[in-house]
Amino acid sequence: MIGTVLNLGLIVLPGLRESLENLNEPWLPILGLNREVGSSVEGLQIRSEPDAHGPSTTSTCSLKIGHIDAINVRSLFAVHFDGHEEIIHHLRHLIILKRLVFHHMAPVAGGVTNREEDGLVLLPRLLERFFPPRVPIDWVVLVLEEVGRLLESQAVRREGSPLLLVLLLFLFLLHDEGRLRKEARVRVRVVGETRAAKGKTRAGEVVRLERESQQMNRALYGPLTRFSTPRLASQRLPFQPHYFASPRLALRSPCLPHHPHPHPRFFSQPTFIMEKEQEQQQHQKQGGSLPTNRLALEKSPYLLQHQHNPVDWYPWGEEAFEKARKENKPIFLSVGYSTCHWCHVMEHESFENDEVAKVMNDLFVSIKVDREERPDVDRIYMAYLQATSGGGGWPMSVWLTPNLKPFHAGTYFPIQSKYGQPGFIQILQALSQAWKNDQTEVENSADHVTKALHRHFGEGAHNEKEDKSEVDFNLDEIFSRYLDIESSQYDAKYGGFSPKPKFPRPCVFTGLFHYYLRGEGEKKQSALAMAEHTLSAMFRGGMHDHLGGGFHRYSVDTYWHVPHFEKMLYDQSQLVNSYLNAFLLSGNSLHSAAATDILEYVLRVLQSPEGGFYSAEDADSYPTHESTKKVEGAFYVWSLGEIEVLLQGRVVADKDGKSVNVATLFAEFYGCEVSGNAPKSSDPHEEFVDLNILIQRTSTQELAKKHSVSEGDLVEALAKARKTLFDTREQRPKPFLDDKIITAWNGLMIGEFARASIVLDDKRYLEAAERATAFIKKELYVGEVLIRNYREGASGIQAFAADYAFLVHGLIDLYQASGNIEHLSWAKSLQDTMNELFFDAERGGFFSTELDAPNILIRMKEEQDNAEPSSNSIAVLNLARLGKLFDSQEYTDMAWKTLRCYRETMTTSPVAFPYMLGALDILIASPRQIVLAGNFDTLRTMQRTVFNQYQPNTLVVYATNEASRLALRSLGLDYISEADMAHNDLPTAYVCQNYACQLPTNDAADLA
């Protein structure tokens, strides 16, 4: 049977290639697979992939543009230009306009109206506020008229969703060829071509697209920074757009807003996961035995979750690669992590299925990777997925040649075609056929893609031709741009810097706090106000665990109410940093209470008996001990009836002596209702009917006034009620604990426990940091190098740049808190090792992996601050601090060389580099060292005076005894000789500027 293949290919006319290298969009590579050969569908299948942080799946949307007999579709976008710079200039604005519509439809979707026509009313307001004034008005009119015309057309199915506006604009770009040519001399055409029944796609077209896609992503990184956050948030969609932490990757397909781990509440049906142990027990009761694969020998909790799959899984390593080469089979690479909900879903649907396993075992060599163990592998193939699809997420599914070069990728796939997506089995079979029939073309395509990845992400990237210096950084201008962008994205009502879903993104607060120190007037105050408002809203919201402490991963709604319930160590550590800094700048006790809340949770749940910190808690758990299926959030939610029973008989007396039920007060304070308190828009599948997610709805002052009770009595009653519910909750089945201890994440946590021990004046926190440090030094420091992680012994994985950077950062903070010179000495030694293993002496910056790391396709550099800080950002910060402590020009030069590596992108898109901006701020500022001399116990008042201020440019050196002074001098701190004695036999401080010390003082107040 003959089918129609729609080919939207990027075709570049002679003379325009150079110009087009600076014009592109990541949504242009729209790659998709339609249904089986000969099947009849109505619509063009357009696939869009998700981002790299948060929930994940792959979805497809259909446009009814006519009845076609569809076979395999692999689509590229074709654009012809009849002019040069002027045309590119105008097309760039049309792209911005399209994205504006796409990003800013939340007010319509949020409930104001569901009629597409009202989007036209909204557009002029958006244009007036956001659109550059130089855009020709005829372009605006053109788009508005075309949208109106298409809305009236019977050829387009009306879905009643603002998303349709974006789809219509896409159709407009594809079909209204004449008007586009007339208005801007740009022709956009769809090339339809008929293929044989096998429906093969020319590899050259795909290669060209994927190569150009890399250039496009980079080209749009600067010009479209202000539109870096998607603004579409429709209550009616069965999925939710994800907040893009990386502005470069925030430019997504016009077809579909995509969510890397689409939360189950926004998917077509709620999904539950069968517990492995109970499945095994049931299977054994029936007389069966479970298969066991090679993953049973691994230590990663994520890999062990798959040890009884019928899939013949291999861990990442030479055994799998040799098998693929010997049998000439492509590799199926599946990457995820133990607390990833949609990783569990895909496992239960596909990897536990015997039919799927047979296909995988017959046609592929299947490899399973824990992204938390192997961030290097994850980062390489995520870069490929994002570059070719505009997004990414987990589980990440990548198909590789036997020499590890990627040729296809996606995220979650259902086992059979549904939700408008191709089924996993069909994809496996189609890709296997492509490999068998067109192996040479597939390998050529993979080669070209790999070269493009090398060019843009490998050792040749970020090559500065000139030797620039610090004068090239206009820090005031960069920070001003940073504040302008964050202000434009700020949610003034609910806090946060994105629509739903909302992620905490602690790096944003770091940038705002540094701006506060540098800024003036209203802008200075607005930076702090935005941070405080957001942090306060998060702490009152349902994303915060009001009973057990700590924060969940993110909120699926705009109110910080309904969370994705997993808890990650790296979130806890960074949020402690944010709340401590907010407390130091504002004095608001809510922020210190939030920091304490997180630290107590980490001590109770995440610190191992040996001292190291575990990685995460899962979102899913059993509702009861008798349950056989896990449900997300089951551990954390309550019915009002449960609360009333637990608090029955407790009362608080009002002013008139009448009794007020504590259950009533608790329910009002935390917004608990009989029918449940989850907003319908946040729970479209009614999973939380009759259940409540605790969220603070009022203040104790307002509630006490309403019921005429003493605020003190109310606070006490609520605290006791929380303790009762907490004790009851502890009897429930608990979420899975990932007890893997990761060096990098422990480094972040060590630093925050150390800082908190001073700011919150709690010695337990310093002891926790010391224990974790001792554990890492004992178990994860072998032969003068670090190991990545520990579980039942150290893994065999060498540490990455992030492990060194984060641990050095934590050790510096630990020295600042403890005065123990061994911590500073180890930090310096680790920094020297990191410099040797990872620093790019030619171009600057740090690679993520060592030079000769085995089986790594590309040696990449991590640049942008996302859910975790960039290793380069923290490395620059460490070099700046150590350079100032040791007066080391070598460290300082390396810091500047790294900054120059990212100067252009950091200047044009500072929101991607807030931690690095902070490091730049410290590097440029005049160094300030404070030497504290005397017995350490007598120095605590001075120490608290110094650290109870937010002054990131200040570092403390301790000269507490002769041994410490000698050690400091041996490390190169020569200026310590000017300030190494207690003055008047009292605790003494020497304030040194540029290594020249002022007269000593015995008064702590002089340090304020």
Side-chain angles (χ1 to χ4, degrees):
M1 175 179 181
I2 301 299
T4 300
V5 175
L6 191 67
N7 207 0
L8 309 172
L10 180 67
I11 303 171
V12 183
L13 295 181
L16 279 177
R17 178 170 299 279
E18 182 176 347
S19 298
L20 278 175
E21 287 182 354
N22 294 318
L23 175 65
N24 218 330
E25 292 198 286
W27 59 264
L28 295 183
I30 303 169
L31 305 181
L33 286 172
N34 257 345
R35 306 179 188 177
E36 298 175 344
V37 173
S39 64
S40 179
V41 297
E42 289 187 337
L44 162 64
Q45 301 293 325
I46 304 175
R47 223 178 101 224
S48 174
E49 302 287 352
D51 174 22
H53 295 284
S56 55
T57 190
T58 302
S59 293
T60 302
C61 69
S62 298
L63 309 184
K64 186 174 181 181
I65 60 174
H67 187 88
I68 60 173
D69 291 325
I71 54 179
N72 289 337
V73 172
R74 206 161 170 86
S75 306
L76 310 179
F77 191 29
V79 183
H80 282 213
F81 291 90
D82 294 330
H84 288 127
E85 296 303 325
E86 181 183 0
I87 305 307
I88 291 176
H89 172 76
H90 288 309
L91 183 60
R92 196 185 290 277
H93 289 311
L94 179 59
I95 291 170
I96 294 174
L97 177 58
K98 174 192 62 60
R99 184 172 297 113
L100 245 173
V101 179
F102 181 60
H103 286 177
H104 296 276
M105 293 308 298
V108 177
V112 176
T113 179
N114 279 320
R115 294 183 299 125
E116 298 92 346
E117 290 84 345
D118 286 320
L120 302 180
V121 177
L122 177 64
L123 274 172
R125 297 203 303 270
L126 293 172
L127 292 168
E128 180 180 358
R129 179 176 178 186
F130 293 100
F131 213 60
R134 65 179 180 274
V135 175
I137 190 63
D138 57 336
W139 275 85
V140 177
V141 174
L142 171 67
V143 174
L144 293 179
E145 288 179 351
E146 188 59 22
V147 169
R149 186 184 69 80
L150 288 173
L151 284 171
E152 297 172 358
S153 171
Q154 297 302 312
V156 179
R157 183 170 52 207
R158 301 167 65 85
E159 296 290 350
S161 166
L163 177 60
L164 186 56
L165 281 174
V166 180
L167 305 183
L168 294 175
L169 284 173
F170 184 69
L171 285 176
F172 159 57
L173 288 174
L174 292 180
H175 290 288
D176 203 337
E177 179 178 337
R179 189 177 304 192
L180 273 175
R181 188 189 305 115
K182 176 182 177 182
E183 295 291 333
R185 292 173 292 165
V186 177
R187 289 193 292 109
V188 180
R189 67 187 178 95
V190 176
V191 180
E193 62 183 53
T194 302
R195 296 281 176 88
K198 288 184 179 180
K200 299 177 184 177
T201 301
R202 287 179 295 181
E205 295 168 343
V206 178
V207 169
R208 182 168 59 252
L209 166 77
E210 291 167 334
R211 182 170 62 247
E212 296 291 338
S213 172
Q214 304 292 326
Q215 299 169 346
M216 295 174 179
N217 277 334
R218 289 190 175 276
L220 280 180
Y221 182 58
L224 298 179
T225 295
R226 64 184 299 180
F227 305 111
S228 62
T229 304
R231 295 291 184 182
L232 184 68
S234 173
Q235 298 174 357
R236 304 188 60 181
L237 297 176
F239 39 75
Q240 288 298 304
H242 169 60
Y243 180 80
F244 281 76
S246 165
R248 175 180 301 173
L249 302 177
L251 315 175
R252 48 163 101 203
S253 163
C255 172
L256 194 64
H258 215 91
H259 198 207
H261 291 113
H263 201 275
R265 285 184 288 287
F266 296 105
F267 212 67
S268 295
Q269 294 294 333
T271 305
F272 305 100
I273 308 303
M274 185 74 74
E275 174 68 271
K276 296 286 178 254
E277 291 80 1
Q278 295 194 357
E279 261 192 4
Q280 295 167 18
Q281 292 171 8
Q282 183 68 21
H283 197 81
Q284 290 166 356
K285 286 179 182 179
Q286 296 171 356
S289 60
L290 287 168
T292 300
N293 55 48
R294 293 166 182 78
L295 300 186
L297 302 176
E298 297 298 306
K299 294 181 179 180
S300 158
Y302 177 62
L303 299 189
L304 290 172
Q305 287 173 353
H306 295 261
Q307 64 179 307
H308 293 299
N309 294 167
V311 177
D312 187 16
W313 288 115
Y314 285 77
W316 182 265
E318 187 57 39
E319 183 185 6
F321 309 146
E322 176 61 28
K323 177 180 174 66
R325 289 191 293 265
K326 183 178 180 180
E327 299 180 10
N328 192 32
K329 285 183 177 179
I331 292 169
F332 170 65
L333 173 65
S334 177
V335 183
Y337 56 101
S338 68
T339 58
C340 163
H341 177 83
W342 286 95
C343 300
H344 300 330
V345 174
M346 191 165 178
E347 180 196 11
H348 191 56
E349 290 181 350
S350 295
F351 303 148
E352 293 175 358
N353 183 285
D354 289 333
E355 180 186 359
V356 176
K358 186 177 188 313
V359 174
M360 294 175 66
N361 295 340
D362 290 346
L363 304 180
F364 298 92
V365 175
S366 298
I367 298 177
K368 178 64 72 172
V369 167
D370 182 342
R371 66 171 297 265
E372 295 171 352
E373 272 196 336
R374 296 302 304 259
D376 55 337
V377 175
D378 175 67
R379 191 171 294 120
I380 290 168
Y381 297 109
M382 185 62 70
Y384 167 76
L385 173 58
Q386 290 173 328
T388 55
S389 70
W394 299 279
M396 177 171 61
S397 305
V398 190
W399 284 264
L400 316 175
T401 65
N403 57 4
L404 308 183
K405 297 178 180 180
F407 63 89
H408 189 74
T411 52
Y412 162 81
F413 295 99
I415 185 172
Q416 298 291 344
S417 298
K418 59 181 178 179
Y419 315 132
Q421 293 179 246
F424 187 53
I425 292 179
Q426 288 100 315
I427 292 174
L428 290 170
Q429 292 170 339
L431 292 174
S432 177
Q433 281 298 112
W435 178 259
K436 291 176 181 178
N437 297 335
D438 298 294
Q439 180 174 338
T440 300
E441 288 194 39
V442 171
E443 288 179 330
N444 289 338
S445 174
D447 287 341
H448 283 292
V449 168
T450 302
K451 289 177 183 177
L453 290 172
H454 268 290
R455 185 166 60 253
H456 293 291
F457 299 105
E459 298 188 38
H462 308 290
N463 187 15
E464 289 284 345
K465 295 181 179 179
E466 300 177 30
D467 185 20
K468 301 178 184 297
S469 63
E470 56 267 36
V471 297
D472 291 298
F473 292 92
N474 187 331
L475 197 54
D476 290 333
E477 181 181 324
I478 295 174
F479 266 112
S480 180
R481 183 177 294 114
Y482 175 85
L483 185 67
D484 289 344
I485 295 171
E486 296 296 2
S487 297
S488 70
Q489 298 174 346
Y490 174 60
D491 182 344
K493 185 173 183 180
Y494 296 108
F497 300 89
S498 74
K500 60 182 179 181
K502 283 187 173 176
F503 287 76
R505 297 204 67 217
C507 61
V508 171
F509 306 124
T510 296
L512 293 175
F513 294 147
H514 273 274
Y515 182 90
Y516 179 79
L517 292 183
R518 300 181 61 86
E520 297 178 352
E522 292 184 4
K523 279 195 168 184
K524 171 189 175 84
Q525 297 303 323
S526 71
L528 181 60
M530 287 191 294
E532 275 209 90
H533 178 209
T534 301
L535 288 167
S536 298
M538 288 164 49
F539 187 59
R540 291 192 298 267
M543 201 181 80
H544 168 226
D545 181 357
H546 291 271
L547 301 182
F551 280 80
H552 301 297
R553 184 68 192 92
Y554 62 86
S555 169
V556 305
D557 54 37
T558 193
Y559 320 110
W560 302 103
H561 186 179
V562 180
H564 175 50
F565 286 92
E566 69 181 286
K567 292 181 178 179
M568 307 300 296
L569 180 65
Y570 60 76
D571 281 328
Q572 314 308 320
S573 61
Q574 292 180 88
L575 285 171
V576 170
N577 178 275
S578 298
Y579 280 109
L580 286 178
N581 291 339
F583 171 64
L584 294 177
L585 287 171
S586 69
N588 188 338
S589 60
L590 178 146
H591 303 314
S592 61
T596 301
D597 172 278
I598 299 170
L599 293 165
E600 293 299 322
Y601 159 71
V602 173
L603 283 179
R604 190 183 73 255
V605 177
L606 296 183
Q607 187 162 39
S608 71
E610 298 80 12
F613 298 110
Y614 298 140
S615 297
E617 278 194 294
D618 203 349
D620 303 339
S621 61
Y622 296 111
T624 68
H625 288 283
E626 292 73 34
S627 302
T628 59
K629 294 180 180 179
K630 285 188 174 184
V631 180
E632 183 172 6
F635 184 70
Y636 300 98
V637 297
W638 301 86
S639 69
L640 183 58
E642 286 180 281
I643 294 171
E644 290 174 339
V645 169
L646 289 171
L647 303 182
Q648 187 175 11
R650 299 190 190 184
V651 296
V652 174
D654 66 11
K655 293 180 180 178
D656 299 327
K658 296 179 181 179
S659 297
V660 181
N661 288 329
V662 171
T664 300
L665 296 171
F666 187 92
E668 287 191 34
F669 191 76
Y670 288 110
C672 300
E673 303 173 9
V674 173
S675 58
N677 68 357
K680 291 183 179 180
S681 60
S682 305
D683 186 28
H685 298 292
E686 301 182 342
E687 294 182 79
F688 294 121
V689 172
D690 301 333
L691 296 173
N692 293 277
I693 301 164
L694 301 187
I695 179 172
Q696 184 180 330
R697 291 299 196 191
T698 184
S699 67
T700 54
Q701 184 179 18
E702 291 171 345
L703 189 60
K705 182 178 180 181
K706 176 181 177 180
H707 289 277
S708 300
V709 299
S710 161
E711 185 177 1
D713 291 344
L714 174 62
V715 169
E716 182 180 357
L718 290 175
K720 290 180 177 178
R722 285 194 299 270
K723 180 64 165 58
T724 298
L725 266 65
F726 172 79
D727 291 341
T728 301
R729 195 179 78 174
E730 285 293 286
Q731 305 308 311
R732 295 176 174 177
K734 294 183 179 178
F736 171 79
L737 176 67
D738 187 329
D739 58 355
K740 181 170 69 265
I741 296 172
I742 297 174
T743 300
W745 299 359
N746 273 252
L748 292 175
M749 199 73 248
I750 286 167
E752 298 316 318
F753 266 110
R755 289 187 64 223
S757 70
I758 305 174
V759 176
L760 303 177
D761 194 17
D762 194 324
K763 291 183 179 180
R764 295 180 304 130
Y765 297 156
L766 182 59
E767 292 169 0
E770 295 275 15
R771 289 182 62 220
T773 302
F775 174 85
I776 292 176
K777 197 165 190 177
K778 176 183 177 183
E779 302 291 350
L780 292 170
Y781 187 55
V782 181
E784 305 301 314
V785 295
L786 290 172
I787 304 300
R788 168 66 177 177
N789 62 286
Y790 176 99
R791 186 180 182 274
E792 298 177 357
S795 72
I797 303 170
Q798 295 276 356
F800 304 103
D803 296 295
Y804 282 88
F806 295 1
L807 182 56
V808 169
H809 180 72
L811 289 171
I812 295 172
D813 283 340
L814 184 55
Y815 170 71
Q816 297 291 283
S818 68
N820 186 339
I821 191 63
E822 290 184 8
H823 300 318
L824 185 61
S825 177
W826 194 27
K828 186 176 186 298
S829 176
L830 288 174
Q831 185 63 57
D832 290 338
T833 302
M834 181 182 181
N835 296 344
E836 179 182 349
L837 295 177
F838 304 101
F839 187 66
D840 183 350
E842 181 180 354
R843 299 177 179 88
F846 289 83
F847 294 107
S848 296
T849 56
E850 298 180 33
L851 177 61
D852 298 318
N855 302 317
I856 294 300
L857 194 64
I858 302 170
R859 197 179 184 209
M860 298 178 67
K861 295 177 183 176
E862 186 183 10
E863 52 185 52
Q864 300 179 19
D865 299 318
N866 292 306
E868 299 174 48
S870 155
S871 55
N872 273 281
S873 292
I874 301 302
V876 172
L877 180 59
N878 294 339
L879 290 168
R881 298 172 82 191
L882 291 173
K884 290 180 183 298
L885 275 172
F886 294 104
D887 192 16
S888 170
Q889 191 60 44
E890 179 188 5
Y891 285 171
T892 301
D893 289 345
M894 294 176 81
W896 278 116
K897 195 173 185 67
T898 301
L899 284 166
R900 291 196 297 271
C901 183
Y902 302 110
R903 183 185 66 86
E904 182 177 352
T905 49
M906 186 166 60
T907 301
T908 57
S909 185
V911 292
F913 300 87
Y915 284 118
M916 195 173 287
L917 282 180
L920 176 61
D921 189 15
I922 292 174
L923 202 59
I924 288 179
S926 179
R928 181 174 183 247
Q929 304 90 8
I930 296 178
V931 181
L932 297 182
N935 182 278
F936 187 80
D937 290 335
T938 67
L939 294 172
R940 293 195 180 277
T941 300
M942 286 186 167
Q943 183 192 49
R944 283 196 294 271
T945 301
V946 173
F947 288 106
N948 280 336
Q949 308 166 68
Y950 180 67
Q951 41 186 8
N953 297 332
T954 296
L955 293 163
V956 172
V957 178
Y958 296 92
T960 55
N961 53 46
E962 186 59 29
S964 72
R965 296 181 191 112
L966 291 174
L968 289 168
R969 292 192 192 102
S970 69
L971 288 173
L973 277 76
D974 297 330
Y975 64 93
I976 198 70
S977 59
E978 300 181 32
D980 61 359
M981 297 295 293
H983 182 61
N984 299 327
D985 293 324
L986 295 171
T988 303
Y990 296 79
V991 178
C992 308
Q993 202 80 17
N994 290 317
Y995 313 105
C997 298
Q998 302 172 10
L999 293 174
T1001 179
N1002 303 123
D1003 188 355
D1006 292 340
L1007 304 177

